Amino acid sequence: MSRLICLSGDLMDGGDALRFVLDDGRPAFVQRWHGQVHAYVNSCAHVPVELDWNPGKLLDDSGEWLICATHGALYAPDSGECVAGPCAGRRLQALRLTEENGEVHFHDNEGMADE
């Protein structure tokens, strides 16, 4: 099962993320990074708090890393891997997306292992 999250043009490369809510009520976000869309549950791998300091503001000052506004943990935008901070080596929970015909769709994660 899939659902439309946004139009492809709504996501600027390296720009703000677009927030959405999963069917189970958890917050999530989608971000375009180096031309590809990536989506994650919006929850730090260290302590379950949302990452963004303002809605959709997830990149650090360098524009290279997703950052947890609470703990300063840095995550790679393309893999969700924590590269620095209290949860180094752990990952954000990735979500399945497809992008085609100018639309970005979320697909439920049935059968995906938790990261």
Side-chain angles (χ1 to χ4, degrees):
M1 184 163 134
S2 73
R3 87 175 141 125
L4 176 67
I5 297 301
C6 63
L7 299 177
S8 295
D10 293 339
L11 297 171
M12 292 182 53
D13 200 78
D16 288 351
L18 186 116
R19 295 169 49 106
F20 64 101
V21 177
L22 300 173
D23 291 340
D24 63 10
R26 290 181 297 161
F29 66 90
V30 60
Q31 176 109 28
R32 184 176 301 283
W33 183 253
H34 293 178
Q36 300 295 313
V37 291
H38 303 277
Y40 302 100
V41 173
N42 191 356
S43 181
C44 183
H46 174 230
V47 174
V49 295
E50 294 181 24
L51 299 173
D52 36 355
W53 50 277
N54 273 327
K57 303 291 186 189
L58 289 153
L59 294 175
D60 70 348
D61 288 341
S62 74
E64 294 295 317
W65 307 102
L66 300 172
I67 187 169
C68 175
T70 302
H71 305 107
L74 298 176
Y75 296 91
D78 58 349
S79 69
E81 181 180 358
C82 182
V83 297
C87 50
R90 297 183 64 195
R91 292 178 182 272
L92 300 174
Q93 183 180 351
L95 302 170
R96 289 192 301 192
L97 296 174
T98 56
E99 181 178 25
E100 54 188 315
N101 300 320
E103 297 180 336
V104 176
H105 288 261
F106 163 72
H107 299 271
D108 72 35
N109 286 345
E110 186 175 314
M112 280 188 79
D114 285 340
E115 298 276 327

